[in-house]
Amino acid sequence: MIPGPFTYHRPTSVADAIKLLGELGDEARPLAGGHSLIPMMKLRLATPDHLVDLHGIGELRGMRRDGDTVVIGAMTTQYDLLASDTIAAALPILHETALLIADPQVRYCGTLGGNVANGDPGNDMPALMMTLGAVYRLRGPGGEREVAAADFYQGAYFTALEPGEILTAVAVPAQPAGHGYAYEKLKRKIGDYATAAAAVVLTMRGGTVATCSIGLTNLSETPLLAEEAAGAVIGTSLDDAALKKAAEAARAIMQPAGDGRGPVEYRKHVGGIMVERALRRAAAKAA
Amino acid sequence: MAPQAKKTQVSMKVNGVDVDGLVEPRTLLVHFIRENLQLTGTHIGCETTHCGACTVDIDGMSVKSCTMFAVQADGSEILTVEGMANADGTLSALQEGFRQMHGLQCGFCTPGMIVRAHRLLRENPTPTEEEIRFGISGNLCRCTGYQNIVRAIQYAAAKINGTEFKEAAE
Amino acid sequence: MNDMSLTREQREARLEGMGCKRKRVEDIRFTQGKGSYVDDVKLPGMLHGDFVRSPHAHARVKAINTDKALQVPGVLAVITAETLKTVNLAWMPTLAGDVQMVLADGKVLFQNQEVAFVVATDRYAADDGVNAVEVEYEALPVLVDPFHAMDADAPVLREDIRDKKDGAHGPRKHYNHIFEWTVGDRELTDAAFRKADVTIKEMISYHRTHPSPLETCQCVCSFDKIKGELTIYGTFQAPHVIRTVVSLIAKLPEQKIHVIAPDIGGGFGNKVGAYPGYICAAVASIVTGKPVKWVEDRIENLTATSFARDYHMTTEIAATKEGKVTGLRVHVLADHGAFDACADPSKWPAGFFNIVTGSYDFPAAHLAVDGVYTNKAPGGVAYRCSFRVTEAAYCIERAMDILAQKLGMDPAELRLRNFIQPHQFPYQSALGWEYDSGDYATAMRKAMETVQYAELRKEQAAKREAFRRGETREIMGVGVSFFTEIVGAGPSKNCDILGIAMFDSCEIRLHPTGAGIARMGTKSQGQGHETTWAQIIATEIGIPADNIMVEEGNTDTAPYGLGTYGSRSTPVAGAAIAMAARKIKAKAQMIAAYKLEVHEDDLEWDVDGFRVKGLPEKFLGMKDICWIAYNSPPPGLEPGLEAVSYYDPPNMTYPFGAYICVMDIDVDTGVYKVRRFYALDDCGTRINPMIIEGQVHGGLTEAFAIAMGQEIRYDDGGNVTTGSFMDFFLPTAVEAPHWETDYTVTPSPHHPIGAKGVGESPNVGGVPAFSNAVNDAFSFLGSTHIQMPHDFWRNWKAAKELGAV
């Protein structure tokens, strides 16, 4: 398991990185944490002629609160997220989710940007970003633009990212005090992708659900926003009937593949269970 | 196929010693450490970022060196199992813990396990059993079933903290 | 060593002999990264070899074009079957009496089969070369399901033996049939079934899995053209056997082959066999005149070298209505893959599967095993078990539970009613074994008392009621397993590998200062032989274990032995160590008698020396005896103090144990939680309790993995779908349960120190305990048997099929 040869580039600014990617064209790939790309290269399923390492670009790493938004640099690692007070206060669900990604070593290297930009349906952060209403900041030869996470994913490994563009940051709306949240992930073992996972963010008012958003991981070619399922619980007290309705609505949009994690029927079933459990746990956390 | 890429000079500090070498960009860090530096304590077990036998400490992070290119580690400070013993050459608390608690058998996962546990105890000097198990979950062991590795790390934590180590009751 | 100021206990403690939790000698180097494994070997001018492998499970190889590969910088040669034919090595013999392609000869028979071997200056160039070799295939129909192997229209897999009527183990029924092996009295068994009040029948599968040690299989071969000598560093559990096999197939004089097995990163049966990589590296070294390293990657390891299990066991038990078993009938369909490369003693095509009567007094039994070819990797190794013993233990332990269920009897109670009784030992089993010793009921009752078995059953009954009332979605299972192993192969009367009798050996040389070196024919892969072997010697001859250096793995220096697998090291080499030590002790006694001026019979052994009976102050210690032996031996006695022993065991040993697993399963997701696991092992005399406990922890963790999800799975096209650690289940510290260990001691009567071996018991006994727990959890919903592995989705599927979801 040896990667094919390539030329290594380590730009120190986003502008330089974009210039390089533009010049090198299709044969170049940006390198973030590398924990998706390097294994693919070792199997020679990816054979880029050029790697543009983004680690030398300081402006891509770190988090800051900007009014009602938390802006997270693309090269911020899962480990950074876990260590951040900003995240703990404004987006605790990121903390919970990061802990369910891969293993400790991978979390030191794996980046938020890599996780969301790769388009791997098994990655956990994309569905979460859709649930939170996050916006991706992309920069390319044509300048900067923003794409909502909900509009970013087009198919397995296909995203709105144009050739030569890189994702520079993710802007996530800070969640209101007292919101409830949960990321329920069923996996076979540490290090595995989800058999099924559901992200829930909600607010409660007077014992009923006031707002709710639900995302689904690894239950289709892309992460999913389960809008009908979320709608089914708004105004309810999350009684059994509402939970069942939400689970069924979520199942209706799932199109998982059968694999070693289980056949399609199972993955859809537990997908619904994850929705129910995430809703219940989120509601219990909400003030 | 790309033209044969030019070799690159890399330099880093490994176990406190400045080293450098000429590598292909695709040279994996684990191969640089094992073959260029001849520090063969860092092992290769799965090559797919699962087993953790290749774990080294880079700038305060536990990293699987089979999934990083040597060029990426240029300029960094690295600690491998060969750098784990006390300055006077005696076994460190962790190394001693692994021996006292029978935390190893074939020894193949041990270097990665010790390097990982080293960082874990730096970040959390008094971990619970659950925190230890979660903290070493990026390292596979085929021999011990982990129970004695957990004890070994508890032993080391106690020794480092100067507290009494109580063997968990069976 | 004759410090009389020490008490007897202090002198014993100083020896760190048998029974002591001695800390391991090996750990000093392993904890510092100073172990020396095969991939650490670096020889001047060393080249690297890597395989081109088949993407197809069954295909004709139309052409292999190596031109582009040979142009890759650093690539020196590409070896194919055509190259190997020039040295008559395109095929190699297997341990099971079959032959196996070293490199694809005309066709490929399993995915990732070795097709060509690229030799280059380093592993990067070799990999580049592999990717540049062009192979043209013509796909053929693929045979995956062993139950269709002998269909009239099944694809012909082995064209080389298509018309051969007889295999290594008798007549073949079909071109994809390998052997039929039968044991026992068919008529007597049939009669027992005719008379039975109750019978059960179930097809119990033990799925294909893989030993997967953390270090893969690897070697460095270095041929010295001038001397005509071949040195092989390799991950070998049995280095001497490798030397002999290489000598036989490469036609090299055996004294010119040096096999060195350095530190080994786990074996679990994976490193017993001979693989194409070894042959290709050796040939490449002979061709190039340079050392050649071959290191398997993990995908290659999981998909091409030595799987384990893949037994499909149709099992019937006959019993009285009171629950006394009267007959056992088992038919096994054994999927051996594309070549029969099982690592069993040569006369045993299904290993010791005829231990399948287990711990129970079956008056009649009959067993038939049919081996078949499929388009899967060859192998069939004893993955942390004696040959096919874990399959047998799983078969009988699962079947006993099914019988208990049919009788409406508690499974522990059914076992207690049928155990072989202590007075029946040595016990002749209906399938031909002589069990050496056992006290099964005592072990079972101790286990039941410790876990408060009756309370668990009450809790389970209450939980089942709560489940029926809809108050919980969790079900609870209590898995009972009582296993008897057969280990320590073995007596030369019935055990050999390619004609080599399965003795083992020890050579001890004591030095004048009261120290020594001991060498054995075994090879530790993590078992801690350097520590425990010295403990046996310490107890036997009173030299502190710290003063004995143990060395294994170098065929030039170690006495010939058959290696380490099948829990044979302690039963066979452990006995050889004791016998060699006793030879030394006998000579020491002569020296002591001379020096103390008494007759030998007037001496008695006292911890670390000889004492004159009745005269406690007249004592000569072993340390002094060592000096005297070299420098002033009694007249007529030759100087020196050393001995060699080759031990041919009179019988196998039969370790046993009682395991109980408590598990909860969430029916909505199939997620299980092992609440408690208690393991009582009886391995006879205990040499190092710390190491025994470690072995049990490790074996149980493997058993947990196998029962709960670890498998080598093929899709209908013969593609492996579990080829990396993402999909091949190895638990991390988070999934691995907590283990409780316990023991009883029933020494083996025929073993010099009474030890039976333990390393494999937990795998053998653990798998049925987990599987029985899952099956027990679901049984109240109406199921009798759910196949392994019991991963989440299969548990959910079972719940669904039983109407619980």
Side-chain angles (χ1 to χ4, degrees):
Chain A
M1 275 188 233
I2 304 289
F6 59 85
T7 304
Y8 177 76
H9 309 268
R10 192 181 171 97
T12 53
S13 71
V14 174
D16 285 352
I18 288 163
K19 189 160 169 278
L20 264 172
L21 288 166
E23 284 166 11
L24 299 169
D26 287 351
E27 301 307 316
R29 290 279 299 265
L31 176 69
H35 280 51
S36 298
L37 180 58
I38 295 173
M40 298 286 276
M41 289 174 67
K42 288 167 80 173
L43 295 168
R44 304 213 182 193
L45 295 172
T47 51
D49 288 345
H50 299 270
L51 277 191
V52 178
D53 187 353
L54 305 180
H55 280 91
I57 308 173
E59 61 188 290
L60 287 178
R61 190 163 181 175
M63 290 146 282
R64 63 188 161 81
R65 176 98 187 216
D66 189 358
D68 286 341
T69 304
V70 178
V71 180
I72 308 170
M75 291 297 284
T76 305
T77 64
Q78 316 295 352
Y79 178 81
D80 294 339
L81 293 176
L82 289 168
S84 159
D85 294 336
T86 308
I87 297 298
L91 295 165
I93 193 170
L94 254 71
H95 194 285
E96 180 171 311
T97 305
L99 279 174
L100 295 171
I101 294 175
D103 63 45
Q105 284 94 319
V106 176
R107 290 194 288 270
Y108 284 105
C109 292
T111 63
L112 178 65
N115 197 288
V116 300
N118 192 22
D120 183 339
N123 286 352
D124 295 286
M125 288 296 182
L128 183 57
M129 291 303 134
M130 290 166 76
T131 307
L132 292 165
V135 170
Y136 298 162
R137 294 184 180 168
L138 316 178
R139 211 189 301 171
E144 193 162 48
R145 63 185 182 122
E146 293 194 340
V147 177
D151 299 328
F152 187 73
Y153 300 98
Q154 299 169 344
Y157 302 99
F158 279 95
T159 67
L161 210 57
E162 295 290 338
E165 258 185 339
I166 60 170
L167 182 143
T168 57
V170 178
V172 194
Q175 299 300 302
H179 78 285
Y181 62 90
Y183 188 66
E184 282 286 337
K185 179 178 180 180
L186 177 65
K187 54 182 176 178
R188 294 171 297 182
K189 57 174 278 189
I190 294 281
D192 195 15
Y193 293 114
T195 302
V200 168
V201 176
L202 51 70
T203 56
M204 302 289 285
R205 197 180 307 128
T208 60
V209 179
T211 63
C212 179
S213 180
I214 302 173
L216 304 171
T217 296
N218 217 14
L219 288 163
S220 183
E221 283 211 329
T222 64
L224 298 172
L225 201 54
E227 287 166 303
E228 221 173 292
V233 297
I234 290 175
T236 74
S237 61
L238 282 179
D239 52 291
D240 284 354
L243 289 170
K244 290 274 170 284
K245 211 170 151 196
E248 280 318 310
R251 284 187 186 113
I253 61 167
M254 295 174 193
Q255 288 184 301
D259 63 12
R261 295 169 186 87
V264 171
E265 191 192 9
Y266 172 72
R267 295 185 67 181
K268 285 177 74 163
H269 177 82
V270 291
I273 300 280
M274 292 303 108
V275 168
E276 285 184 47
R277 290 183 181 177
L279 280 167
R280 219 180 273 128
R281 201 155 58 78
K285 270 191 210 158
Chain B
M1 192 168 32
Q4 210 64 12
K6 274 210 294 261
K7 288 199 173 184
T8 314
Q9 185 78 21
V10 293
S11 54
M12 49 193 96
K13 186 173 266 190
V14 178
N15 300 329
V17 178
D18 289 318
V19 299
D20 52 34
L22 203 57
V23 298
E24 273 190 81
R26 63 169 168 167
T27 302
L28 294 162
L29 179 61
V30 70
H31 288 139
F32 179 72
I33 291 170
R34 287 180 49 80
E35 292 177 16
N36 295 51
L37 305 181
Q38 301 205 29
L39 294 169
T40 56
T42 303
H43 294 150
I44 301 170
C46 75
E47 301 178 71
T48 52
T49 337
H50 290 102
C51 80
C54 63
T55 300
V56 298
D57 198 80
I58 305 180
D59 295 334
M61 305 184 296
S62 304
V63 172
K64 295 182 180 180
S65 62
C66 78
T67 308
M68 182 178 272
F69 298 112
V71 286
Q72 290 179 275
D74 187 32
S76 60
E77 269 195 50
I78 295 182
L79 204 52
T80 72
V81 69
E82 288 90 347
M84 283 284 142
N86 297 325
D88 64 359
T90 56
L91 294 186
S92 71
L94 266 167
Q95 290 168 323
E96 188 189 311
F98 271 73
R99 180 161 192 250
Q100 290 297 325
M101 294 297 114
H102 191 30
L104 67 151
Q105 291 178 29
C106 81
F108 202 75
C109 78
T110 311
M113 203 63 93
I114 288 178
V115 171
R116 171 60 200 141
H118 167 80
R119 182 55 44 200
L120 171 67
L121 290 184
R122 286 292 173 93
E123 292 179 357
N124 180 0
T126 53
T128 62
E129 169 165 355
E130 199 184 350
E131 286 167 342
I132 292 173
R133 284 181 178 267
F134 193 67
I136 60 168
S137 61
N139 295 72
L140 295 174
C141 170
R142 294 286 290 131
C143 298
T144 65
Y146 305 103
Q147 198 154 311
N148 288 343
I149 293 179
V150 172
R151 283 185 193 155
I153 296 170
Q154 288 169 329
Y155 174 101
K159 183 156 187 201
I160 293 164
N161 299 330
T163 55
E164 192 194 345
F165 170 68
K166 288 196 200 81
E167 269 202 66
E170 268 288 297
Chain C
M1 287 292 145
N2 312 327
D3 189 343
M4 287 300 118
S5 64
L6 297 178
T7 65
R8 187 186 162 85
E9 286 71 29
Q10 285 169 326
R11 283 159 58 217
E12 274 176 348
R14 189 172 58 176
L15 294 180
E16 293 198 283
M18 285 194 283
C20 163
K21 292 186 182 180
R22 182 175 187 231
K23 304 304 172 209
R24 298 202 328 164
V25 177
E26 296 88 339
D27 296 356
I28 303 286
R29 64 178 188 275
F30 289 153
T31 56
Q32 300 188 79
K34 298 293 184 191
S36 171
Y37 300 88
V38 173
D39 200 13
D40 303 341
V41 173
K42 199 172 181 180
L43 302 178
M46 189 172 74
L47 307 175
H48 289 256
D50 199 355
F51 281 111
V52 176
R53 292 178 182 272
S54 167
H56 297 277
H58 195 194
R60 224 166 274 296
V61 178
K62 307 288 281 183
I64 302 175
N65 185 341
T66 61
D67 295 350
K68 282 184 190 160
L70 287 167
Q71 284 161 23
V72 170
V75 171
L76 301 176
V78 181
I79 293 171
T80 63
E82 297 310 311
T83 327
L84 294 177
K85 279 178 187 169
T86 63
V87 283
N88 204 22
L89 282 173
W91 292 68
M92 63 179 186
T94 71
L95 295 178
D98 197 358
V99 288
Q100 175 179 351
M101 289 178 205
V102 174
L103 290 170
D105 185 11
K107 67 192 276 194
V108 288
L109 288 159
F110 64 94
Q111 190 182 46
N112 278 1
Q113 185 179 334
E114 300 81 0
V115 174
F117 191 68
V118 175
V119 186
T121 48
D122 63 63
R123 63 182 94 209
Y124 285 65
D127 201 296
D128 292 343
V130 165
N131 282 280
V133 173
E134 295 166 326
V135 186
E136 192 188 325
Y137 298 98
E138 177 191 315
L140 293 169
V142 175
L143 173 63
V144 173
D145 184 351
F147 287 93
H148 289 294
M150 294 199 281
D151 286 357
D153 58 350
V156 179
L157 303 195
R158 292 288 299 278
E159 286 163 356
D160 59 310
I161 52 167
R162 178 184 183 143
D163 300 320
K164 234 175 125 186
K165 295 278 173 262
D166 289 290
H169 303 284
R172 300 166 69 218
K173 301 178 209 172
H174 183 276
Y175 48 79
N176 290 331
H177 184 240
I178 308 171
F179 64 85
E180 183 189 22
W181 186 61
T182 60
V183 197
D185 190 326
R186 193 188 295 265
E187 279 176 32
L188 197 65
T189 308
D190 288 349
F193 275 85
R194 281 194 299 273
K195 281 184 253 162
D197 299 331
V198 181
T199 62
I200 58 120
K201 181 173 183 177
E202 193 69 55
M203 207 290 285
I204 298 168
S205 277
Y206 196 146
H207 57 283
R208 180 176 278 234
T209 182
H210 194 280
S212 194
L214 205 50
E215 176 201 41
T216 59
C217 299
Q218 28 200 274
C219 69
V220 179
C221 295
S222 179
F223 185 69
D224 184 324
K225 273 190 176 154
I226 307 295
K227 294 183 185 160
E229 292 180 14
L230 179 64
T231 303
I232 308 175
Y233 299 84
T235 47
F236 303 137
Q237 293 181 228
H240 283 98
V241 177
I242 294 285
R243 187 183 72 189
T244 301
V245 169
V246 169
S247 172
L248 292 173
I249 66 176
K251 309 278 185 288
L252 277 171
E254 199 168 353
Q255 80 279 11
K256 295 202 168 187
I257 303 166
H258 314 288
V259 177
I260 299 163
D263 289 324
I264 296 184
F268 315 119
N270 199 174
K271 294 167 179 173
V272 173
Y275 301 120
Y278 306 155
I279 306 285
C280 288
V283 170
S285 180
I286 292 168
V287 169
T288 61
K290 301 245 172 83
V292 176
K293 180 184 276 188
W294 170 69
V295 175
E296 188 183 52
D297 74 29
R298 179 57 58 187
I299 293 172
E300 296 176 304
N301 176 254
L302 288 171
T303 58
T305 49
S306 284
F307 75 92
R309 326 301 191 223
D310 220 344
Y311 260 33
H312 307 280
M313 309 171 287
T314 302
T315 311
E316 298 169 81
I317 297 180
T320 66
K321 56 183 183 302
E322 292 78 25
K324 183 80 189 72
V325 296
T326 55
L328 175 70
R329 195 155 53 198
V330 182
H331 177 265
V332 179
L333 181 67
D335 184 342
H336 284 225
F339 306 96
D340 186 12
C342 281
D344 294 320
S346 297
K347 293 189 191 77
W348 302 86
F352 305 151
F353 188 84
N354 53 329
I355 193 73
V356 69
T357 51
S359 313
Y360 314 107
D361 188 14
F362 277 97
H366 186 261
L367 164 68
V369 183
D370 278 298
V372 295
Y373 292 119
T374 59
N375 287 120
K376 299 179 192 165
V381 296
Y383 169 8
R384 204 177 185 134
C385 66
S386 189
F387 314 100
R388 301 293 188 185
V389 171
T390 187
E391 289 93 330
Y394 180 63
C395 176
I396 187 63
E397 287 308 288
R398 197 70 272 292
M400 288 299 276
D401 263 28
I402 294 167
L403 176 63
Q405 193 180 350
K406 184 149 189 184
L407 288 163
M409 189 180 283
D410 182 89
E413 174 59 29
L414 178 69
R415 285 170 172 81
L416 284 164
R417 277 188 203 186
N418 287 288
F419 280 146
I420 300 160
Q421 297 301 308
H423 70 265
Q424 289 177 283
F425 292 95
Y427 171 82
Q428 301 293 332
S429 80
L431 291 178
W433 294 114
E434 184 184 296
Y435 291 33
D436 59 352
S437 64
D439 183 354
Y440 298 162
T442 300
M444 187 76 231
R445 290 209 171 90
K446 186 174 182 188
M448 291 168 74
E449 278 163 26
T450 311
V451 301
Q452 296 184 288
Y453 184 76
E455 295 304 311
L456 287 171
R457 288 296 178 195
K458 275 185 209 154
E459 185 193 345
Q460 183 185 41
K463 269 194 105 164
R464 285 175 172 180
E465 282 312 307
F467 184 86
R468 286 199 175 100
R469 288 194 301 267
E471 292 163 10
T472 178
R473 299 293 291 156
E474 204 173 71
I475 55 176
M476 169 182 171
V478 181
V480 175
S481 157
F482 196 99
F483 64 94
T484 295
E485 268 198 291
I486 171 167
V487 306
S492 58
K493 64 186 177 222
N494 52 20
C495 290
D496 68 271
I497 288 180
L498 300 176
I500 307 163
M502 295 182 72
F503 55 82
D504 223 291
S505 61
C506 170
E507 178 205 77
I508 304 172
R509 292 185 196 170
L510 295 186
H511 308 323
T513 56
I517 183 167
R519 295 184 171 111
M520 295 80 186
T522 44
K523 177 62 209 169
S524 181
Q525 311 122 42
Q527 293 88 341
H529 289 173
E530 288 169 53
T531 305
T532 48
W533 290 165
Q535 289 181 261
I536 298 176
I537 297 169
T539 294
E540 288 288 339
I541 55 177
I543 301 282
D546 274 350
N547 293 4
I548 304 290
M549 188 169 92
V550 170
E551 200 182 82
E552 295 177 322
N554 184 333
T555 56
D556 283 350
T557 53
Y560 203 107
L562 274 282
T564 294
Y565 43 86
S567 278
R568 65 183 301 280
S569 295
T570 294
V572 191
I577 294 163
M579 299 310 274
R582 286 171 196 182
K583 288 182 188 176
I584 287 180
K585 197 169 168 182
K587 184 169 178 182
Q589 190 163 2
M590 290 164 70
I591 294 168
Y594 176 77
K595 287 289 171 189
L596 295 169
E597 298 177 329
V598 293
H599 190 273
E600 278 179 54
D601 294 346
D602 294 328
L603 292 174
E604 61 186 3
W605 178 251
D606 180 19
V607 183
D608 51 10
F610 290 97
R611 189 180 302 286
V612 178
K613 289 176 189 166
L615 291 172
E617 71 286 358
K618 291 203 74 173
F619 178 88
L620 191 60
M622 275 302 292
K623 185 177 177 173
D624 293 331
I625 293 171
C626 286
W627 186 263
I628 296 163
Y630 282 91
N631 302 310
S632 53
L637 197 65
E638 66 181 66
L641 199 52
E642 56 183 67
V644 181
S645 172
Y646 276 73
Y647 190 78
D648 181 4
N651 190 5
M652 307 282 188
T653 59
Y654 298 76
F656 59 92
Y659 292 178
I660 296 175
C661 172
V662 186
M663 193 185 298
D664 298 305
I665 301 171
D666 168 7
V667 294
D668 288 326
T669 57
V671 173
Y672 53 80
K673 192 167 175 7
V674 178
R675 195 198 306 173
R676 189 166 184 191
F677 197 104
Y678 168 88
L680 179 148
D681 274 284
D682 192 320
C683 59
T685 302
R686 292 157 62 84
I687 299 167
N688 183 328
M690 175 190 84
I691 284 180
I692 290 172
E693 188 200 54
Q695 290 286 311
V696 173
H697 288 175
L700 289 175
T701 307
E702 288 184 347
F704 164 72
I706 294 167
M708 306 312 290
Q710 181 184 91
E711 64 177 323
I712 295 292
R713 195 139 58 106
Y714 288 82
D715 67 14
D716 294 341
N719 305 297
V720 184
T721 61
T722 53
S724 82
F725 285 169
M726 174 66 88
D727 292 301
F728 183 79
F729 178 48
L730 295 183
T732 74
V734 169
E735 292 83 39
H738 181 84
W739 310 115
E740 298 170 55
T741 59
D742 203 348
Y743 62 96
T744 55
V745 177
T746 311
S748 170
H750 65 76
H751 188 278
I753 58 172
K756 290 186 169 186
V758 75
E760 300 173 332
S761 300
N763 196 323
V764 171
V767 171
F770 287 109
S771 184
N772 282 347
V774 173
N775 275 285
D776 183 61
F778 282 108
S779 62
F780 79 112
L781 298 170
S783 77
T784 51
H785 177 66
I786 301 163
Q787 301 288 12
M788 288 195 294
H790 305 294
D791 46 7
F792 299 159
W793 74 264
R794 288 181 175 99
N795 289 341
W796 174 79
K797 182 165 164 274
K800 188 163 191 293
E801 284 168 2
L802 294 165
V805 177

